[in-house]
Coordinates of all heavy atoms in Angstrom, one line a residue:
V715 N 137.1 35.5 6.6 CA 137.7 34.3 7.3 C 138.6 33.5 6.3 O 138.3 33.3 5.2 CB 136.5 33.4 7.8 CG1 137.1 32.1 8.3 CG2 135.8 34.2 8.8
M716 N 139.7 33.1 7.0 CA 140.7 32.3 6.3 C 140.6 30.8 6.6 O 140.6 30.5 7.8 CB 142.1 32.7 6.5 CG 143.2 31.9 5.6 SD 144.8 32.3 6.1 CE 144.9 34.0 5.8
V717 N 140.4 29.9 5.6 CA 140.3 28.5 5.9 C 141.4 27.7 5.1 O 141.3 27.8 3.8 CB 138.9 28.0 5.6 CG1 138.7 26.6 6.1 CG2 137.8 28.8 6.0
T718 N 142.3 27.2 5.8 CA 143.5 26.6 5.0 C 144.1 25.4 5.7 O 143.7 25.1 6.8 CB 144.7 27.7 5.0 OG1 145.8 27.2 4.4 CG2 145.1 28.0 6.5
N721 N 150.0 25.7 8.0 CA 150.3 25.9 9.5 C 149.7 27.2 10.0 O 149.3 28.2 9.4 CB 151.8 26.0 9.6 CG 152.3 26.4 11.0 OD1 152.3 27.5 11.5 ND2 152.7 25.4 11.7
I722 N 149.2 27.1 11.3 CA 148.4 28.2 11.8 C 149.2 29.5 11.9 O 148.6 30.6 11.7 CB 148.0 27.9 13.3 CG1 146.8 28.8 13.8 CG2 149.1 27.7 14.2 CD1 146.0 28.2 14.9
A725 N 149.4 31.0 8.5 CA 148.1 31.6 8.3 C 147.9 32.8 8.9 O 147.3 33.9 8.2 CB 147.0 30.6 8.6
I726 N 148.3 32.9 10.1 CA 148.2 34.3 10.9 C 149.0 35.4 10.1 O 148.6 36.5 10.0 CB 148.6 34.2 12.3 CG1 147.5 33.2 13.0 CG2 148.7 35.5 13.0 CD1 148.0 32.9 14.4
A729 N 147.2 36.5 7.2 CA 146.0 37.1 7.5 C 146.4 38.6 7.9 O 145.6 39.6 7.7 CB 145.2 36.5 8.8
M734 N 143.2 40.9 7.1 CA 142.2 40.2 7.9 C 142.2 40.4 9.3 O 141.2 40.6 10.1 CB 142.1 38.7 7.6 CG 141.4 38.3 6.3 SD 141.3 36.5 6.2 CE 140.8 36.3 4.5
V735 N 143.5 40.4 9.8 CA 143.9 40.8 11.3 C 144.7 42.1 11.1 O 145.7 42.2 10.6 CB 144.6 39.6 11.8 CG1 145.0 40.0 13.3 CG2 143.9 38.4 11.8
V741 N 145.7 38.2 18.7 CA 145.3 37.0 18.2 C 145.3 35.9 19.3 O 146.1 35.8 20.0 CB 146.1 36.4 17.0 CG1 145.8 35.0 16.7 CG2 146.1 37.2 15.8
H784 N 141.0 38.4 17.6 CA 140.6 37.4 16.7 C 141.0 36.0 17.3 O 142.0 36.0 18.0 CB 141.2 37.6 15.3 CG 140.9 38.9 14.6 ND1 139.9 39.0 13.6 CD2 141.4 40.2 14.8 CE1 139.9 40.2 13.3 NE2 140.8 40.9 13.9
F785 N 140.2 34.9 17.1 CA 140.7 33.7 17.5 C 141.2 33.0 16.2 O 140.9 33.3 15.0 CB 139.4 32.8 17.7 CG 138.7 33.2 19.1 CD1 137.3 32.9 19.4 CD2 139.5 33.6 20.2 CE1 136.8 33.3 20.5 CE2 139.0 33.9 21.4 CZ 137.6 33.9 21.6
A786 N 142.1 32.2 16.6 CA 142.9 31.2 15.6 C 142.8 29.8 16.0 O 143.0 29.6 17.2 CB 144.3 31.6 15.3
I787 N 142.4 28.9 15.2 CA 142.1 27.6 15.6 C 142.6 26.6 14.5 O 142.5 26.9 13.3 CB 140.6 27.3 16.0 CG1 140.5 25.9 16.6 CG2 139.8 27.7 14.7 CD1 139.0 25.7 17.1
N788 N 143.0 25.4 14.9 CA 143.4 24.4 13.9 C 142.5 23.4 13.8 O 141.5 23.2 14.5 CB 144.9 23.9 14.2 CG 144.9 23.1 15.5 OD1 143.9 22.6 15.9 ND2 146.1 23.2 16.2
R809 N 134.2 35.0 16.6 CA 135.4 35.7 16.7 C 136.6 35.0 15.9 O 137.6 35.6 15.8 CB 135.8 35.9 18.1 CG 134.9 36.8 18.9 CD 135.1 38.3 18.5 NE 134.4 39.3 19.3 CZ 133.2 39.6 19.0 NH1 132.6 39.4 17.9 NH2 132.5 40.5 20.0
A810 N 136.4 33.8 15.4 CA 137.5 33.2 14.8 C 137.7 33.7 13.4 O 136.7 33.8 12.6 CB 137.2 31.7 14.7
T811 N 139.0 34.0 13.0 CA 139.2 34.6 11.8 C 140.2 33.6 10.9 O 140.2 33.6 9.7 CB 139.9 35.9 11.8 OG1 139.0 36.8 12.4 CG2 140.3 36.5 10.4
V812 N 141.0 32.8 11.7 CA 142.0 32.0 11.0 C 141.6 30.5 11.4 O 141.7 30.2 12.6 CB 143.5 32.3 11.5 CG1 144.3 31.2 10.9 CG2 143.8 33.7 11.0
Y813 N 141.4 29.7 10.4 CA 141.1 28.2 10.6 C 142.3 27.6 9.9 O 142.4 27.6 8.6 CB 139.8 27.8 10.1 CG 138.7 28.4 10.8 CD1 138.2 29.7 10.4 CD2 138.1 27.7 11.8 CE1 137.1 30.3 11.0 CE2 137.0 28.4 12.5 CZ 136.5 29.5 12.1 OH 135.4 30.2 12.8
A814 N 143.2 26.9 10.5 CA 144.4 26.3 10.0 C 144.3 24.8 10.1 O 143.6 24.2 10.9 CB 145.7 26.7 10.5

Side-chain angles (χ1 to χ4, degrees):
V715 167
M716 183 192 301
V717 191
T718 178
N721 178 275
I722 194 167
I726 290 172
M734 282 188 185
V735 177
V741 175
H784 297 263
F785 286 149
I787 186 171
N788 61 29
R809 291 288 188 264
T811 300
V812 175
Y813 297 84

